[in-house]
């Protein structure tokens, strides 16, 4: 902060003042359950007036997507300004005004591969939280081997006709639109026949069936397409070149998931001190668990510092390739370990599943939910494969 | 603060990598070991390191050094780790130079620092007394006598002690054996009456000495820093040493990893390159990620030291803990993935595993540093 230019200092001061004046008190409280996260969309019911106001005010400044161009509903901020905004939001403990797959995944892909009409049509609605997107990648027969997907989209006049099924489609039943990988060329080699298609989930022929997770949450669905007609102009990029877009989007998804490995809101040792207590020497009373906790915290710090270094290096035009795979692998494995340790720290408190309190059952459910971190967005094994091939240059099997 | 090397630091890195690969490759260590060289390092190399500005890299310019700071020292130490180059760099340029710069009087600084930078003087730190690092455990005593002190005690593990021209000895002027307060640092001539120095050859072919002090008379002018206040200086020097050891372990890990990945690409079994076996690919990829984490932690520690960040001790402990763990993993995986040849003395990879073990133990292993991290976080 010391070497900040006068312009950035002024930006910081303005931002701080604006946030203090405009972030509702309720939106400065820690996120407890899923309902505290605003996902937006046609079906979204705001949990409170404050949640609605906070989204509106931030969206009006383009600060739900601070670095997107203003023309598409973004804030047009530079990296440095965006960093300052994030810091100032953290300072106020402000909640993110909007979270969505549109922001994390589709937006970056459209900015790079979309045509002008597609950008105009979709980006501002993502920025304002009007349309909620889901991701149609995985299929019953195509998980890690995503490129073997079979959902077909065959041209018919100026439309495509889509048939097939997706699975594990997170929030498909809540979403308004889907970005979907489809096979437009049934005879081309498997990576070459794939296209990237956008369509409305209310189109005739789309149906979803929720699937319940071990955590008791039911965030994903099997999604069926039965002669769904989609205008050809909804195809992003070139037909048959969808795989490149799919991969580009995955790097954004992986970085976002990997980010969860960063230090939590309350550090683990603080929670442990409360539940286990410290001896006269100030050390946690359970010596073996203390050792496990500190090993974990060392890794978490090292991971957070790696995120920082990666950003700094990218800014300086240096850095390693296949980064998103490294961050995804390390970050998700850490988050799983964190959840495992929190269960140990909490003992029988961690075992409760249902009850009166608002947080009752959270620990167990979050522990269970975290198991998916190393599966969704490409499994840990797949990330290791990518690192082995792309970074280390090891030969194929 | 940014976690990225600046132009100057990148130049140091490049120069150091080239220099040690050319002038002090791992073959030199083998030769020195096999010939039972009395010094255990090449004095010609040490002189060249002075010419290059390495010996005085962290010494302030006014005392003949390059004044480039700890990030630069770490980069040199990393290159040393890659090549397993032998020299008194850690003892003299890092530990002693830090202690003297921090606590020395103007006369002491002017007399000693330029000579360290020019490689004319090797100064070693005689602090540890316990086999497991416990820096405040000092039983060696200093009793006032004449216009100075008489020192009595034993220092069983003094890095480069057998070639030192001067020792920095931690001895107790007051307080109990395990107390931080009451430790005083003294500059001692190893040739003085009552000092005995016995060389210890180590598993990593480096040298340490067992030093005994029996009523060694030192002058009042040889006290380094305040009486009874030596621990703060000692900790500062040790932290700089720990951060540089973390950097060295990055180099040790990096080189043994590179050699292993090469081997995976070349060795064939079952009619294919062994690098095509996924069991090995995944272990290598995992190790790659771990090494990146260790690198971030180490760069942060060195940067924090350069900036005089109050949390530097925390980041140093973090870095040494992480780099130590990763280095152990890297070198063990290297031996395993080389199969039988990895176990042979003829092949270099074993040297890296030996150095990894020694570097971990030196000034606190992962368990020691992890305990320190927890205490610094108040638990
Ligand atoms: C909570 C959650 C949310 C999700 N959300 C979405 C979503 O919104 N949209 C979407 O499209 N998908 C989503 N997914 C799907 C996810 O991307 C897939 O589950 C994932 O890619 C793995 O595919 P799979 O389940 O078919 O497992 P498989 O590919 O069958 O894998 C089974 C096991 O085999 C291993 N394996 C497979 N291939 C290899 C290989 N080559 N080498 C080594 N090991 C291998 C895997 O690592 C895994 O351990 C979600 C998944 C979860 C759990």
């Amino acid at each position: 902060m010391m070497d900040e230019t006068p312009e950035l200092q002024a930006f910081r001061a303005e931002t701080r003042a604006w946030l203090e004046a405009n972030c509702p008190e309720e939106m400065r409280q820690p996120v407890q359950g899923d309902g505290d996260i605003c996902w937006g969309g046609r079906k979204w019911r705001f949990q409170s007036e404050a949640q609605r106001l906070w989204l509106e005010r931030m969206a009006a400044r383009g600060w739900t997507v601070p670095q997107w161009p203003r023309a598409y509903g973004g804030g047009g901020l530079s990296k440095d300004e965006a960093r300052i905004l994030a810091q100032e939001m953290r300072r106020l403990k402000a909640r993110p005004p909007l979270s969505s797959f549109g922001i994390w995944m589709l937006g970056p892909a459209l900015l790079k591969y979309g045509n002008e009409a597609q950008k105009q049509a979709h980006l501002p609605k993502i920025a304002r939280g009007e349309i909620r997107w889901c991701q149609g990648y995985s299929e019953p027969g195509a998980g890690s081997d995503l490129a073997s997907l079979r959902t077909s989209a065959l041209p018919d006049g100026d439309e495509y006709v889509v048939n097939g099924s997706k699975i594990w489609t997170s929030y498909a039943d809540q979403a308004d639109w889907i970005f979907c990988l489809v096979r437009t060329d049934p005879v081309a080699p498997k990576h070459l026949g794939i296209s990237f298609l956008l369509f409305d989930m209310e189109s005739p022929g789309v149906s979803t069936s929720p699937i319940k997770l071990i955590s008791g949450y039911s965030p994903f669905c099997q999604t069926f397409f039965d002669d769904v007609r989609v205008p050809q102009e909804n195809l992003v990029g070139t037909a048959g070149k969808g795989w490149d877009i799919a991969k580009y989007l995955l790097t954004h998804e992986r970085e976002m998931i990997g980010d969860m490995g960063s230090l939590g809101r309350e550090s683990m040792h603080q929670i442990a001190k409360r539940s286990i207590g410290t001896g006269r020497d100030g050390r946690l009373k359970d010596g073996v668990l203390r050792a496990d906790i500190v090993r974990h915290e060392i890794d978490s710090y090292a991971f957070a510092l790696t995120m920082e270094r990666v950003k700094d290096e990218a800014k300086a035009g240096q850095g390693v390739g296949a980064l998103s795979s490294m961050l995804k692998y390390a970050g998700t494995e850490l988050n799983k370990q964190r959840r495992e340790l929190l269960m140990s720290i909490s003992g029988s408190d961690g075992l409760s599943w249902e009850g009166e309190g608002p947080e009752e059952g959270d620990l167990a459910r979050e522990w269970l939910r975290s198991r998916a971190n190393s599966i969704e967005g490409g499994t840990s094994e797949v990330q290791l494969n990518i690192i082995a091939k792309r970074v280390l240059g090891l030969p194929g099997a | 603060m940014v976690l990225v090397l600046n132009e100057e630091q990148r130049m140091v890195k490049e120069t150091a990598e080239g220099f040690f690969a050319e002038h002090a490759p791992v073959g030199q260590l083998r030769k020195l070991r096999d010939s039972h060289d009395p010094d255990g390092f090449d004095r010609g190399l040490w002189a060249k390191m002075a010419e290059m500005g390495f010996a005085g890299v962290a010494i302030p310019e006014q005392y003949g050094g390059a004044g480039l700071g700890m990030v630069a020292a770490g980069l040199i130490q990393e290159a040393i780790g890659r090549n397993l180059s032998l020299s008194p760099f850690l003892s003299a340029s890092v530990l002693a130079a830090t202690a003297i710069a921090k606590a020395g009087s103007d006369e002491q600084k002017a007399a000693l620092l330029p000579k360290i930078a020019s490689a004319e003087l090797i100064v070693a730190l005689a602090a540890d007394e316990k086999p497991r690092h416990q820096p405040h455990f000092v039983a060696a005593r200093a009793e006032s006598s004449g216009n100075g002190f008489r020192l009595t005690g034993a220092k069983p593990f003094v890095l480069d002690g057998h070639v030192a021209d001067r020792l920095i000895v931690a001895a107790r002027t007051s307080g109990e054996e395990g107390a931080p307060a009451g430790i005083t640092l003294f500059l001692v001539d190893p040739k003085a009456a009552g000092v005995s120095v016995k060389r210890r050859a180590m598993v990593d072919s480096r040298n340490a000495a067992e030093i005994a002090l029996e009523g060694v008379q030192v002058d009042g002018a040889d006290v380094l820093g305040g009486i009874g206040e030596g621990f703060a200086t000692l900790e500062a020097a040790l932290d700089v040493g720990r951060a540089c050891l973390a950097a060295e372990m990055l180099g040790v890990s990096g080189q043994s990893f590179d050699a292993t990945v090469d081997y995976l690409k070349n060795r064939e079994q079952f009619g294919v390159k062994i690098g095509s076996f996924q069991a090995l690919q995944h272990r290598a990829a995992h190790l790659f990620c771990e090494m990146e984490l260790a690198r971030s932690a180490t760069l942060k520690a060195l940067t924090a030291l350069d900036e005089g960040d109050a949390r530097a001790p925390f980041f140093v402990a973090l870095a040494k803990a992480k780099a130590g763990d990763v280095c152990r993993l890297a070198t063990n995986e290297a031996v395993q993935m080389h199969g039988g040849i990895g176990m042979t003395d003829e092949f270099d990879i074993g040297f890296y595993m030996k150095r990894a073990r020694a570097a971990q133990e030196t000034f606190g292993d992962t368990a020691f540093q992890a305990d320190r991290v927890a205490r610094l976080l108040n638990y």
Side-chain angles (χ1 to χ4, degrees):
Chain A
M1 275 181 233
M2 280 178 314
D3 48 6
E4 227 157 60
T5 62
E7 290 76 25
L8 288 178
Q9 282 171 9
F11 178 79
R12 185 183 289 283
E14 280 164 33
T15 302
R16 183 174 298 184
W18 186 88
L19 288 172
E20 271 167 5
N22 288 281
C23 181
E25 194 51 43
E26 275 176 81
M27 292 296 107
R28 305 183 195 189
Q29 306 305 317
V31 171
Q32 308 272 7
D34 215 30
D36 291 350
I37 300 170
C38 178
W39 291 92
R42 295 194 291 239
K43 298 178 189 161
W44 185 252
R45 289 213 310 273
F46 287 100
Q47 176 207 43
S48 64
E49 184 55 17
Q51 195 182 51
R52 193 187 57 77
L53 257 182
W54 181 223
L55 171 59
E56 260 178 33
R57 288 174 179 167
M58 287 291 276
R61 309 204 107 202
W63 283 2
T64 52
V65 282
Q67 287 191 68
W68 290 12
R70 282 178 173 281
Y72 308 127
L77 301 190
S78 67
K79 269 189 188 166
D80 286 327
E81 289 168 336
R83 182 175 41 80
I84 289 173
L85 173 60
Q87 284 167 352
E88 292 301 319
M89 285 179 66
R90 233 174 295 143
R91 192 179 151 270
L92 262 198
K93 301 199 170 71
R95 292 182 190 170
L98 181 65
S99 301
S100 80
F101 291 7
I103 294 178
W104 299 322
M105 301 185 218
L106 179 62
L110 274 187
L111 283 168
K112 186 167 160 88
Y113 292 98
N115 60 33
E116 190 54 34
Q118 289 164 340
K119 291 182 197 170
Q120 291 288 358
H122 300 299
L123 293 175
K125 290 182 183 166
I126 291 173
R128 292 194 299 265
E130 289 168 11
I131 291 294
R132 181 171 180 181
W133 288 83
C134 63
Q135 177 188 28
Y137 275 35
S138 308
E139 298 180 5
S144 299
D145 184 12
L146 182 59
S148 68
L149 61 93
R150 299 209 331 236
T151 294
S152 69
L154 298 176
D156 181 26
D158 51 10
E159 292 177 323
Y160 285 110
V161 182
V162 181
N163 278 291
S165 163
K166 296 286 171 183
I167 197 163
W168 322 131
T169 330
S170 294
Y171 307 113
D173 51 344
Q174 314 286 327
D176 307 308
W177 276 63
I178 187 167
F179 50 91
C180 199
L181 293 182
V182 294
R183 191 163 294 284
T184 42
D185 184 343
V187 291
K190 75 177 184 182
H191 291 87
L192 297 180
I194 295 172
S195 298
F196 194 94
L197 200 61
L198 313 175
F199 52 93
D200 195 319
M201 291 291 280
E202 280 176 12
S203 313
V206 179
S207 61
T208 60
S209 153
I211 303 168
K212 200 166 166 183
L213 285 181
I214 51 176
S215 58
Y217 299 143
S218 178
F220 59 15
C221 297
Q222 183 160 8
T223 307
F224 301 92
F225 310 121
D226 185 13
D227 283 336
V228 181
R229 302 194 77 87
V230 178
Q232 289 206 5
E233 69 207 37
N234 287 12
L235 189 138
V236 181
T238 315
K241 290 264 171 68
W243 187 244
D244 293 337
I245 309 177
K247 280 192 303 186
Y248 178 76
L249 186 144
L250 276 176
T251 62
H252 284 268
E253 178 178 9
R254 285 170 187 161
E255 278 168 31
M256 187 272 295
I257 299 175
D259 214 359
M260 295 185 311
S262 305
L263 300 167
R265 272 175 286 116
E266 188 180 20
S267 62
M268 187 183 299
H269 67 265
Q270 279 163 334
I271 300 172
K273 273 167 83 170
R274 246 195 343 261
S275 84
I276 300 168
T278 47
R280 232 179 294 159
D281 61 359
R283 286 176 165 88
L284 265 187
K285 274 187 182 148
D286 187 326
V288 178
L289 192 53
R290 174 178 182 266
D292 286 347
I293 293 171
V294 71
R295 285 304 194 56
H296 173 81
E297 294 202 315
I298 286 170
D299 281 342
S300 295
Y301 271 101
F303 180 77
L305 290 166
T306 303
M307 293 290 276
E308 202 177 314
R309 177 165 69 91
V310 160
K311 283 182 192 146
D312 291 343
E313 282 176 347
K315 240 163 117 181
Q318 310 169 12
V320 281
L323 258 180
S324 60
S325 290
M326 175 188 91
L327 298 176
K328 205 271 173 181
Y329 169 69
T332 56
E333 292 297 333
L334 265 173
N335 194 48
K336 287 203 305 183
Q337 192 187 50
R338 172 181 162 80
R339 284 287 156 195
E340 206 67 59
L341 277 168
L342 284 174
M343 288 299 280
S344 303
I345 290 166
S346 308
S348 60
D349 283 350
L351 301 179
S352 85
W353 187 251
E354 279 166 355
E356 311 275 280
E359 288 173 63
E360 202 86 48
D362 277 4
L363 272 166
R365 287 168 197 271
E366 289 297 329
W367 160 63
L368 289 161
R369 175 62 182 84
S370 71
R371 304 300 93 182
N373 296 162
S374 52
I375 299 172
E376 57 201 333
T379 66
S380 282
E381 290 76 15
V382 165
Q383 306 314 316
L384 292 174
N385 287 346
I386 294 175
I387 295 166
K389 298 224 171 70
R390 304 252 180 82
V391 185
L392 307 181
L394 291 174
Chain B
M1 182 226 58
V2 291
L3 285 181
V4 66
L5 300 183
N6 63 29
E7 202 55 47
E8 185 179 74
Q9 290 162 344
R10 277 164 61 183
M11 231 162 71
V12 171
K13 178 178 152 77
E14 218 166 277
T15 314
E17 279 171 359
F19 177 85
F20 289 102
E22 186 187 338
H23 297 286
V26 58
Q28 189 181 65
L29 171 135
R30 182 184 291 280
K31 245 192 244 144
L32 289 163
R33 180 197 67 170
D34 292 349
S35 66
H36 299 280
D37 186 87
D39 287 336
F41 74 101
D42 175 2
R43 286 190 185 266
L45 174 77
W46 183 226
K48 276 194 215 115
M49 284 172 69
E51 276 165 37
M52 297 294 292
F54 295 162
V57 63
I59 292 174
E61 281 172 286
Q62 75 180 111
Y63 297 112
L68 290 176
M70 296 326 302
V71 171
L75 292 167
I76 292 169
Q77 188 98 29
E78 184 178 345
I80 287 174
R82 276 202 164 260
N83 296 284
L84 299 181
S85 313
L86 296 174
S87 80
F89 181 77
L90 180 67
S91 302
S93 307
V94 175
L95 296 163
T98 304
I100 295 165
K102 183 173 161 67
S105 64
D106 289 346
E107 292 83 56
Q108 287 168 332
K109 288 194 250 189
L112 301 172
L113 292 175
K115 288 192 171 166
I116 294 178
S118 61
E120 291 165 82
L121 190 77
I122 296 173
V123 184
L125 182 66
D128 273 351
E129 296 186 10
K130 291 276 195 187
R132 266 189 72 78
H133 185 56
Q134 203 177 312
H136 43 76
F137 183 92
V138 173
R141 288 189 324 276
E143 274 146 8
S144 24
S145 130
N147 72 341
F149 295 85
R150 278 168 73 83
L151 308 185
T152 304
K155 301 287 177 180
F157 179 72
V158 179
L159 289 177
D160 298 311
H162 73 300
V163 287
D165 305 305
R166 202 68 59 86
L167 301 168
I168 297 175
V169 174
R172 196 161 278 293
T173 39
S174 65
E176 309 233 321
E177 270 176 8
I183 296 171
T184 304
L185 301 180
F186 298 91
L187 288 160
V188 176
D189 182 347
K191 295 199 182 67
V195 183
S196 72
V197 176
K198 211 170 90 198
R199 179 175 175 187
R200 283 175 72 175
M202 317 262 288
V203 62
D204 60 349
S205 312
R206 257 148 237 255
N207 302 284
E210 206 176 310
I211 294 187
L213 307 155
E214 276 169 46
V216 180
Q217 181 69 39
V218 292
D219 200 77
D222 291 327
V223 173
L224 187 64
I227 289 176
E229 292 165 7
F231 190 67
T233 305
L234 190 57
E235 267 295 279
L238 287 172
D239 265 344
V240 167
R242 289 162 181 148
C244 282
L245 280 163
E248 182 180 342
M249 290 192 286
L250 293 183
V252 172
S253 309
Q255 180 55 37
S256 50
F257 183 69
D258 289 353
T260 304
V261 170
D262 260 357
Y263 195 69
L264 294 180
K265 288 179 185 170
N266 290 304
R267 166 78 175 164
E268 287 188 12
Q269 284 294 282
F270 299 97
V272 294
K273 308 284 184 207
I274 58 170
S276 65
F277 299 137
Q278 199 181 46
L280 302 186
Q281 291 186 345
H282 281 194
R283 279 157 59 184
H286 170 75
L287 183 51
F288 170 81
C289 296
E290 289 287 289
M291 289 182 358
E292 290 294 319
L293 298 195
R295 176 171 299 286
S296 312
T298 304
L299 183 55
K300 176 70 182 187
L302 294 162
T303 307
L305 287 167
D306 275 341
E307 291 178 342
D309 186 333
R311 297 187 69 191
F314 172 78
F315 288 115
V316 168
L318 184 79
K320 180 122 197 314
K322 186 66 193 166
D325 256 359
V326 172
C327 195
R328 181 181 52 206
L329 181 66
T331 50
N332 275 286
E333 287 287 61
V335 169
Q336 177 67 19
M337 292 193 204
H338 276 85
I341 201 172
M343 285 299 295
T344 60
D345 183 68
E346 193 191 328
F347 203 68
D348 289 336
I349 208 79
F351 284 132
Y352 286 85
M353 192 163 79
K354 292 171 183 171
R355 180 56 192 151
R357 172 47 67 187
Q360 278 176 82
E361 297 307 326
T362 307
F363 308 139
D365 64 0
T366 295
F368 175 95
Q369 304 300 346
D371 178 68
R372 203 167 156 224
V373 167
R375 277 185 291 117
L376 288 167
L377 289 172
N378 286 315
Y379 70 97

